[in-house]
Amino acid sequence: MSVSRIASAGVFVVSLDSTVNIALPAMAAGFGVPPERMRWVIIAYVFTYAITSFAGGAWADRVGHGRVFATGLGVSSLAFLLAGLAPDFGWFLAARVVQGFGGGLVYGTAPGIVTGAVAPQARGRALGVMTAALGLGHSVGPLLAGALVEAFGWRAIFHVRLPMAVAVLALALAALRGERVPPTQRLVAVRDVLRARVLWAGALAFFANAGIFAIWMLAGFYLVTLRGFDTATAGLLFMLTPLGTTIAAPLSGRIADRWGARWPASVGLALQALGLLLLGQAPASTVLLATALFLAGFGLGVFQVPNMALVMAAFPAGHQGAAGGFTFLSRTLGTVFGVATFAQVFAWRSGTVGVAQAFADAFTCAAALVAVAAALSVLGRRSAPPA
């Protein structure tokens, strides 16, 4: 198996953490903690991997991307074991922090491995495959979690990922035999991160991921409590958003390789904004609802690959690990912003105009945010030099 495919496999295993969202109620019951404390299960993991993805990518530029990637898989394997055996909630949160370290090292190094393994003119396609693997993990996770939790309990979502991580680790270690350790070079400097092209692409990723989390955070409640779908149907509809990302990513990569990365990124943001806007109109038709969910995810998939390609190209040669880590840092900071902002919008509006309108307003606000990003992307594309 090629090193780029091994990197994509590692990203898939890490992105299966979408299983946790479905298992949160069972975890709360198992540990005997109130539902509001379960937010720390997400925060402990997300904040850790946000920081680690950038730091791990920069470290990999000095010691080798494959080595740090393998370390991340090893740490993730340990975390899956610890989480699955956790005797109490505190132990479990510690395991989630360990998991964040491992996941951050995988996320931070995978883009550098992928781009370093192919010719520059094929980077978009390679990044598209990696992004599709991430989207596939997000798509499969909720369905896998539903089956595992019902049959074996919530601990199974960690037990099942342990052999997956070990298998990819074995493949990575085998591929490392021929890896050449890069010559000693300086660490990524602040001036490399503060370049206008880097900050511009990072800001767009921030807004895109903030907007999509209006769906990740609110759509489940919207589908079940407001639209009245059963859990199975709601899960299938919810899956349409990451499925759209999975389908769009490889196509977007090929387009970026052939015609450049800037305009596909702008089109992707526009499509995502349109999908969120349709959700904000609270379509009565299930077909329109499904279309809106799919379109938002598809737009994100069209955007993410060229955006990542722009970031990778904006960093100096030899700092592709730092570049890959920066993309995931930008996305994660956007995720945190989206969770905080749209939860507040929903809470504020539900008390004044009712739950149904509050959902619509939150989705509309997300659409407006992404639409602004799309406009900024077009303006930046006109003023910036070719990538």
Side-chain angles (χ1 to χ4, degrees), residues 176-198:
L176 280 176
R177 294 174 182 172
E179 184 184 35
R180 183 176 62 87
V181 178
T184 301
Q185 59 180 353
R186 66 173 176 85
L187 287 171
V188 63
V190 174
R191 65 177 179 274
D192 298 323
V193 180
L194 295 182
R195 292 184 180 192
R197 291 171 60 195
V198 173

Side-chain angles (χ1 to χ4, degrees), residues 97-111:
V97 172
V98 175
Q99 188 186 340
F101 278 110
L105 294 180
V106 172
Y107 277 153
T109 53

Side-chain angles (χ1 to χ4, degrees), residues 49-58 61 104-112 308 311-312 315 319-332:
Y49 92 64
I51 297 170
T52 308
S53 60
F54 182 66
D61 288 331
L105 294 180
V106 172
Y107 277 153
T109 53
M308 184 180 291
V311 173
M312 303 299 281
F315 271 77
H319 291 295
Q320 294 301 284
F326 179 81
T327 61
F328 280 98
L329 175 62
S330 301
R331 294 179 185 184
T332 307

Side-chain angles (χ1 to χ4, degrees), residues 3-247:
V3 292
S4 62
R5 293 189 181 276
I6 293 172
S8 296
V11 166
F12 171 78
V13 172
V14 173
S15 67
L16 278 175
D17 206 67
S18 57
T19 55
V20 170
N21 295 327
I22 302 300
L24 286 176
M27 292 176 185
F31 288 122
V33 299
E36 60 269 19
R37 288 191 64 190
M38 298 309 292
R39 69 182 184 273
W40 294 107
V41 174
I42 305 298
I43 293 173
Y45 174 67
V46 169
F47 269 105
T48 305
Y49 92 64
I51 297 170
T52 308
S53 60
F54 182 66
W59 177 40
D61 288 331
R62 300 198 70 176
V63 303
H65 297 145
R67 285 169 172 76
V68 177
F69 176 79
T71 300
L73 288 170
V75 173
S76 295
S77 300
L78 175 62
F80 297 149
L81 179 63
L82 294 175
L85 298 175
D88 55 49
F89 191 59
W91 179 290
F92 182 67
L93 289 182
R96 289 289 285 174
V97 172
V98 175
Q99 188 186 340
F101 278 110
L105 294 180
V106 172
Y107 277 153
T109 53
I113 293 173
V114 167
T115 56
V118 298
Q121 61 269 25
R123 286 181 177 176
R125 279 170 286 180
L127 289 171
V129 171
M130 190 201 75
T131 304
L134 187 148
L136 182 62
H138 287 162
S139 302
V140 172
L143 298 179
L144 179 64
L148 289 174
V149 171
E150 184 174 346
F152 304 106
W154 67 264
R155 296 177 187 273
I157 69 173
F158 295 100
H159 292 156
V160 76
R161 293 167 70 191
L162 177 57
M164 294 182 186
V166 171
V168 180
L169 174 59
L171 292 172
L173 291 175
L176 280 176
R177 294 174 182 172
E179 184 184 35
R180 183 176 62 87
V181 178
T184 301
Q185 59 180 353
R186 66 173 176 85
L187 287 171
V188 63
V190 174
R191 65 177 179 274
D192 298 323
V193 180
L194 295 182
R195 292 184 180 192
R197 291 171 60 195
V198 173
L199 295 178
W200 174 74
L204 296 182
F206 176 95
F207 289 129
N209 284 272
I212 206 66
F213 248 77
I215 293 178
W216 282 103
M217 181 179 60
L218 297 175
F221 295 99
Y222 171 74
L223 293 169
V224 175
T225 62
L226 186 64
R227 298 300 297 268
F229 293 110
D230 58 62
T231 304
T233 303
L236 288 173
L237 288 169
F238 187 85
M239 188 182 70
L240 290 173
T241 297
L243 180 63
T245 302
T246 303
I247 293 173

Side-chain angles (χ1 to χ4, degrees), residues 244-293:
T245 302
T246 303
I247 293 173
L251 300 175
S252 179
R254 291 181 178 275
I255 292 172
D257 283 338
R258 186 165 184 178
W259 287 296
R262 296 191 182 279
W263 75 263
S266 303
V267 171
L269 288 170
L271 291 175
Q272 182 187 344
L274 178 59
L276 289 166
L277 182 62
L278 289 176
L279 280 177
Q281 304 309 306
S285 167
T286 302
V287 174
L288 289 178
L289 174 62
T291 300
L293 288 167

